Amino acid sequence: MESSALLFNQLKAADPFFLLAGPNVIESEEHVLYMAKHIKSVAAKVGLPLVFKSSFDKANRTSSKSFRGPGMAEGLKILEKVKATYDIPIVTDVHETIQCEAVGRVADIIQIPAFLCRQTDLLVAAAKTGKIINIKKGQFCASSVMANSAEKIRLAGNPHVMVCERGTMFGYNDLIVDPRNLEWMREANCPVVADVTHALQQPAGRKLEGGGVASGGLRELIPCIARTAVAVGVDGLFMEVHSDPLNSPVDGPTQWPLRHLEELLEELVAIARASKGKQQLKIDLTPYHL
């Protein structure tokens, strides 16, 4: 818990924001190590605290034929090697209560997927690891739900929680990002993160040759959503990044190209420093006379 408190306080104090970034899923040890090395270099260059992200199992897939990753045992070994090799904290997600203890021995931040953001048993099991918990807001949830989810973590004895906006369902195959949520989610009394890549998914919106569907996405709008988020004054950005997005086996359409990461982050840091988004603007409604 002491190490979690230290990292949590460092992230909360990040100026202008912290970064959770990495490829969507572990494709191989070689690829994850490559990505960690280069993302760490970029983050250091632009002056952002980094937590490296990748998943060992993508349980919520559109199709049973979709690539899911190496599984928990092998995946955690790889993430542990990333952590040791590059001395960076790790965030990865869990889907079941039985995964939390093992994941907590490696990850510094345990992420709760959006579809599971209200699952009390999972939230409590994750909280009891003592690690920082990042709860993604369900695509079907109002921002007010996140205050309750965060409170479940605290009531389980863990004060280190943050909440993450990742878009809201807009019809059957689309998501929208309502910037008001980035403000309203502060009612959870914890750091607010914006997932600027998953927020641009088009769930089951891409037809495949030979039948079936997969998730599509609007990668070209990632800068638009990211600019909005940092201007509003979020505490952290979540961004999935890939060296070869067109050949990524999972969520390729919403992963940002590694070659453009530095360029985008430099701009976002500049916007965040120019904005007063983290400062509450006091509105004076007394009569105004010139």
Side-chain angles (χ1 to χ4, degrees):
M1 187 74 82
E2 185 177 340
S3 61
S4 292
L6 180 61
L7 176 60
F8 189 64
N9 289 332
Q10 289 173 344
L11 296 178
K12 284 201 302 180
D15 180 21
F17 56 85
F18 60 83
L19 178 66
L20 312 181
N24 180 284
V25 67
I26 298 170
E27 298 172 30
S28 68
E29 179 179 306
E30 179 184 15
H31 182 254
V32 167
L33 287 168
Y34 174 86
M35 293 298 298
K37 176 182 178 181
H38 289 283
I39 293 174
K40 179 181 179 179
S41 175
V42 170
K45 191 171 181 179
V46 299
L48 294 177
L50 170 69
V51 181
F52 181 78
K53 184 270 169 184
S54 200
S55 299
F56 55 79
D57 180 21
K58 304 303 294 183
N60 179 33
R61 297 292 86 197
T62 302
S63 167
S64 60
K65 299 176 183 178
S66 298
F67 179 76
R68 290 182 54 167
M72 186 172 73
E74 181 62 24
L76 289 178
K77 287 180 183 177
I78 293 172
L79 292 176
E80 197 165 28
K81 185 168 183 179
V82 169
K83 189 173 178 178
T85 303
Y86 295 112
D87 190 28
I88 47 177
I90 297 293
V91 55
T92 195
D93 38 2
V94 293
H95 303 90
E96 302 176 76
T97 56
I98 58 172
Q99 296 176 330
C100 292
E101 185 178 352
V103 172
R105 288 195 290 267
V106 175
D108 301 276
I109 301 178
I110 295 178
Q111 186 163 280
I112 305 297
F115 281 121
L116 301 173
C117 70
R118 295 175 20 153
Q119 293 294 103
T120 302
D121 289 347
L122 182 60
L123 290 168
V124 170
K128 287 184 174 178
T129 65
K131 296 307 176 83
I132 300 168
I133 309 301
N134 182 34
I135 312 172
K136 289 201 170 183
K137 181 182 77 65
Q139 302 92 324
F140 47 88
C141 289
S143 58
S144 56
V145 169
M146 300 311 289
N148 289 340
S149 294
E151 189 63 12
K152 291 177 182 180
I153 302 297
R154 296 189 188 101
L155 289 174
N158 186 343
H160 308 128
V161 59
M162 46 197 189
V163 293
C164 182
E165 166 66 24
R166 59 94 73 222
T168 302
M169 290 301 299
F170 188 67
Y172 290 113
N173 303 116
D174 205 2
L175 296 166
I176 58 170
V177 177
D178 183 349
R180 297 176 300 175
N181 285 334
L182 301 173
E183 185 71 34
W184 290 336
M185 283 169 63
R186 289 174 179 161
E187 295 175 8
N189 293 315
C190 63
V192 173
V193 181
D195 179 343
V196 300
T197 46
H198 283 108
L200 288 161
Q201 277 184 332
Q202 294 182 309
R206 182 163 55 102
K207 292 186 177 181
L208 301 175
E209 292 184 16
V213 294
S215 289
L218 301 169
R219 179 182 10 258
E220 67 276 11
L221 294 182
I222 290 172
C224 170
I225 301 302
R227 290 166 183 146
T228 303
V230 298
V232 169
V234 293
D235 300 286
L237 280 188
F238 178 103
M239 181 184 298
E240 291 192 331
V241 181
H242 202 283
S243 54
D244 185 10
L246 293 180
N247 288 303
S248 171
V250 178
D251 284 356
T254 52
Q255 295 200 68
W256 187 246
L258 177 60
R259 63 162 43 91
H260 295 303
L261 181 61
E262 182 179 337
E263 176 186 4
L264 179 58
L265 290 178
E266 284 180 341
E267 179 189 352
L268 297 178
V269 167
I271 292 171
R273 293 201 186 283
S275 170
K276 295 182 179 178
K278 289 186 179 181
Q279 302 173 26
Q280 189 71 35
L281 181 63
K282 294 181 180 179
I283 303 175
D284 184 353
L285 295 178
T286 59
Y288 179 65
H289 302 287
L290 291 172

